[in-house]
Amino acid sequence: MSPGSAGSTETRAQTPRFELPVGEMDPKRSQPKRIAPKRRDANPQLIQRVALGVATFGISLALVGLVYRFTVSPLFSDVAFENGTTAAVALLIGCFALPTAQRLQLNLRAHLLVCLTVLAVTPWTYQLGNQLEAGGMDLSTGFNFLFEVLLAVLLYRFAGRTRRS
């Protein structure tokens, strides 16, 4: 082996393993090795899609709340409004469970129908979960949310499939 080869223990033993630089540092030396990712410009189409999604959810929640207020009871309507946040999370998970191509092809009507369906079912499952919890089943409220997510995923899959046909 040559004296400067990697296998030489003499050369490694003579030089300290970690040595701070002395004197002037090369300006390039302290720079990061990786290049930062380029920033994307604002995408107006994305902002428009987010605004339409929020508006669709708001209209669906108001419509379901009003229908329940006049057909069932004002208290049940309040339950629908209270569970709007869990339904919103379930709808987001369901929507983003779709492949990007299918998600981008969904029209506003499909989003509206899925939102209306999930929001209409949510208060009933919440009441069922409360009854089961009062009966001694401790995990029923957690299963309620999992059911909402599963329902949203299935409805968005169905909406994505019917859109392609």
Side-chain angles (χ1 to χ4, degrees), residues 86 90 93 125 139-153:
T86 58
I93 292 170
T125 60
L139 296 175
S140 60
T141 53
F143 286 127
N144 176 38
F145 178 68
L146 291 177
F147 171 75
E148 289 174 20
V149 170
L150 181 64
L151 178 65
V153 167

